Structure formats: C-alpha cells, structure tokens
Amino acid sequence: MDLTQGTVEEKNRRAKKMMLWFGIVSLIMGFAGWTSAYIVSSKREDWVSDLELPSAFFISTAMIILSSITYFLAKKSVANNNQKNGTVFLLITLALGITFISLQFVGFSQMLENGYYFTGPTSNIKMSYVFLIAAVHIAHVVAGLISLLVVIVQQARKKYTPDNMLGMELGATFWHFLDFIWVYLILFMYFVK
C-alpha cells in the first residue's frame, strides 16, 4: 500500500490514526515495564502475597467496561445518523468515566484504611506497585476524559456525521484502549501473587 497516494483528507486521516497508534504502543510499553517490574519484585523476600485488592477496584472495572459499551453505542448511533442517541451515550460514557476515577480513589482509601501506604514504614513493595500502576492509569483516564469532552463538544456542534466521524473514532479507540489496559492490569494484579 502506497501511503503517499490518496486525497489530502485521506492522508490526514491515516496520519492521525497512525499517530494515535504510536501513542498507544508507547503506553503499552510503559505498562509492560511496570508489570515486568512487579513480576521481578514478586521474587523478593519481603513481597507480601496475601494482600487483596480493594473491592472498589472491581466495581470500577465494571464501570469502565460499561463506558466502553456506551462509547461504542454512541459511535454506532452517529454512524446511523441518530445524533440525539449519540450525544446521550457520550454523556453516559463521561459519567461512567468520572465514576471509574472516583471508585479508584475509594480503592486507594480502602488500602489506606487497611494500613497499606505508598511509602513509609507501613508500606510494602506490592502495595506501592498497586498504587503506582492504578495512579498512572488514572492519569491516562483523565487524558481520555479530556478527549471525550472534546468529542462531546464537537458532537454538540454537529460536527460528526455518518461520513465524518474521525474525531469520534480516534476518541473511541483511545477509550477502548484505556478499558482494555485496565482489565489487563486488574487481572494481572489479581492473579500475580
């Protein structure tokens, strides 16, 4: 495939999609590094293997999965020229994304209530990794929420149509990636003792 061929608009679309995928691949490498460090550290003598993840993390997992479904439904609605439903599903996605972050902080509070801290004399390396990995993911979800707000504003301005959905497609791809990476992380932290 010759990437130099096509209209300016087609080249622009390909370039934007490629840049998004470069960013996603770099984020995957970052999370792979942290999970690799987690595995290496699990061999330490002071590794605590009987710690349980906070229940709020599991509830937040359901919220982010639901938000991916609602983003998909928003995209499908706009593709079918049902702008009203598209907007409603985008707003639901926003609410679920905010709920996800709120529940993550509830999870941090649960860890603190159980006496587990990120640093200090009562901390342990495993919980420090859990705090770090979850906090870094939250930072990326905040970026996803900003992206989603841009999509919502553009949708309110009636920018998206069945023939012009690039911004929504890019936003949805990033959001689904955030969903996928969290599901991977929660399963990883649950099963790698």
Side-chain angles (χ1 to χ4, degrees):
M1 176 180 179
D2 185 359
L3 296 178
T4 62
Q5 299 299 311
T7 66
V8 173
E9 184 179 329
E10 290 170 337
K11 291 178 190 178
N12 189 28
R13 289 175 61 83
R14 282 195 305 264
K16 288 179 179 179
K17 286 181 179 183
M18 189 178 296
M19 290 305 296
L20 175 64
W21 282 106
F22 281 145
I24 286 174
V25 168
S26 69
L27 292 174
I28 289 170
M29 291 168 56
F31 282 107
W34 287 308
T35 54
S36 296
Y38 184 101
I39 290 170
V40 169
S41 296
S42 70
K43 307 300 181 212
R44 291 172 43 141
E45 289 181 22
D46 62 343
W47 186 262
V48 181
S49 61
D50 61 345
L51 294 178
E52 291 188 25
L53 293 172
S55 60
F57 278 13
F58 297 102
I59 299 167
S60 70
T61 302
M63 294 299 109
I64 202 163
I65 290 170
L66 285 173
S67 74
S68 241
I69 293 168
T70 57
Y71 213 140
F72 169 80
L73 293 172
K75 192 174 144 195
K76 186 175 179 181
S77 294
V78 172
N80 291 328
N81 211 22
N82 188 338
Q83 302 299 331
K84 182 178 178 186
N85 281 354
T87 302
V88 168
F89 283 125
L90 287 172
L91 292 171
I92 293 170
T93 304
L94 178 66
L96 290 167
I98 292 168
T99 302
F100 171 82
I101 290 177
S102 300
L103 286 166
Q104 293 286 287
F105 283 107
V106 169
F108 289 161
S109 295
Q110 289 173 339
M111 290 190 289
L112 294 173
E113 287 170 8
N114 290 328
Y116 300 117
Y117 296 91
F118 181 66
T119 62
T122 60
S123 69
N124 67 66
I125 190 72
K126 181 176 184 175
M127 290 313 286
S128 294
Y129 274 116
V130 171
F131 273 108
L132 173 71
I133 289 169
V136 170
H137 186 264
I138 288 170
H140 290 93
V141 173
V142 169
L145 287 173
I146 292 168
S147 155
L148 177 58
L149 284 170
V150 170
V151 169
I152 290 169
V153 168
Q154 297 294 21
Q155 173 67 7
R157 292 179 178 167
K158 302 186 185 322
K159 178 179 179 184
Y160 302 121
T161 65
D163 299 325
N164 180 18
M165 294 183 51
L166 179 63
M168 185 176 284
E169 289 170 0
L170 296 173
T173 300
F174 184 58
W175 194 262
H176 296 318
F177 163 72
L178 294 171
D179 179 1
F180 169 80
I181 201 74
W182 178 252
V183 171
Y184 160 74
L185 291 170
I186 194 79
L187 291 173
F188 174 86
M189 291 185 291
Y190 182 78
F191 287 110
V192 178
K193 300 285 184 182

